[in-house]
């Protein structure tokens, strides 16, 4: 079945450091790919998405490119801030049973220190 | 502000009792609601999918008689954990889908069964 694998955390960085969180997927067909962010005590929020190969999703300085040849959707940010501390989830959306189902990776906790 | 709410946010109950969790879409009509379960440091696992006015579709391995889902209106879905046991302790999250890109997660409900 479809699945998502993302790097284990926690990831601890100093402010202004470069961030990469790896995500790879296994899926039939052509899924849409997403990154969600969960801030402490809050629900998941959509951070960015890409719906087809070579698409680049971007938001709030974060970027991820849909790489079909490597089945990857790595999240990057050039300069992280303390406010970026959160848990990040990679997800894919496939169609099963007629419903658009989101399948999540395990989540990666990011801690940014001043 | 939040567009999907969950109530309660936290609940502690005794083993053998039933617990009801509500998920409401606040400013849109959710034709489909998804319920997820998240164990500590693990991914979100889809439990079931429900459409307003019809029976929920449960994922493999999820006991439908234990996790009762009711989607009585376009803005409200409830998940009832019947005869809860300590192994049911988890973080339960709903996702409301209003069609297209209108889909949001609730903030989650943490259940602790003693």
């Amino acid at each position: 079945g479809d699945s998502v694998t993302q790097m284990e955390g926690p990831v601890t960085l100093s402010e202004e450091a470069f961030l990469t969180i790896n995500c790879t997927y296994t899926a039939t067909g052509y899924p849409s790919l997403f990154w969600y962010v969960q801030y402490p005590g809050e629900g998941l929020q959509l951070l960015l998405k890409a719906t087809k190969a070579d698409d680049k999703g971007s938001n709030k300085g974060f970027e991820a490119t849909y790489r079909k040849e490597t089945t990857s959707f790595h999240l990057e940010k050039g300069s992280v801030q303390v406010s970026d501390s959160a848990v990040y989830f990679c997800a894919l959306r496939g169609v099963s049973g007629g419903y658009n189902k989101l399948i999540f990776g395990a989540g990666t906790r990011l801690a940014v220190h001043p | 502000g939040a567009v999907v709410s969950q109530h309660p946010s936290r609940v502690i109950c005794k083993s053998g009792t039933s617990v009801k969790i509500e998920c409401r879409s606040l400013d849109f009509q959710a034709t489909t609601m998804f319920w997820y379960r998240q164990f500590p440091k693990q991914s979100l696992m889809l439990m079931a999918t429900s459409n307003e006015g019809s029976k929920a579709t449960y994922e493999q391995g999820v006991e439908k008689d234990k996790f009762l889902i009711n989607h009585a209106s376009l803005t409200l879905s409830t998940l009832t954990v019947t005869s809860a046991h300590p192994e049911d302790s988890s973080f339960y999250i709903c996702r409301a889908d209003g069609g297209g890109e209108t889909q949001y997660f609730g903030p989650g409900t943490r259940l602790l069964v003693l």
Side-chain angles (χ1 to χ4, degrees), chain B residues 10-61:
Chain B
R10 304 173 68 95
V11 57
I12 301 173
C13 69
K14 293 182 179 180
S15 185
T17 60
S18 294
V19 175
K20 179 184 284 188
I21 302 169
E22 293 185 348
C23 175
R24 293 181 184 272
S25 56
L26 300 180
D27 56 4
F28 67 97
Q29 293 184 327
T31 52
T32 307
M33 294 263 198
F34 302 85
W35 285 95
Y36 295 82
R37 184 174 181 178
Q38 184 181 26
F39 291 103
K41 300 183 179 181
Q42 294 189 30
S43 182
L44 280 73
M45 302 300 296
L46 180 64
M47 299 175 66
T49 303
S50 71
N51 276 347
E52 182 263 340
S54 62
K55 290 184 178 181
T57 302
Y58 289 81
E59 295 299 300
Q60 191 172 9

Side-chain angles (χ1 to χ4, degrees), chain A residues 18-85:
Chain A
F18 183 85
L19 168 71
T20 299
I21 300 177
N22 289 340
C23 170
T24 57
Y25 68 91
T26 301
T28 55
Y30 303 93
S32 296
L33 302 174
F34 304 82
W35 277 100
Y36 283 85
V37 58
Q38 186 176 31
Y39 297 104
E42 298 184 17
L44 276 73
Q45 301 174 28
L46 178 63
L47 180 60
L48 54 84
K49 66 178 182 180
T51 57
K52 62 182 187 295
D54 300 326
D55 267 3
K56 177 185 283 187
S58 62
N59 185 25
K60 299 180 181 179
F62 290 89
E63 293 184 342
T65 301
Y66 190 148
R67 302 286 189 198
K68 188 165 177 60
E69 64 276 13
T70 55
T71 62
S72 65
F73 192 55
H74 305 322
L75 182 68
E76 296 182 336
K77 186 174 185 181
S79 176
V80 294
Q81 304 300 313
V82 173
S83 57
D84 293 326
S85 298

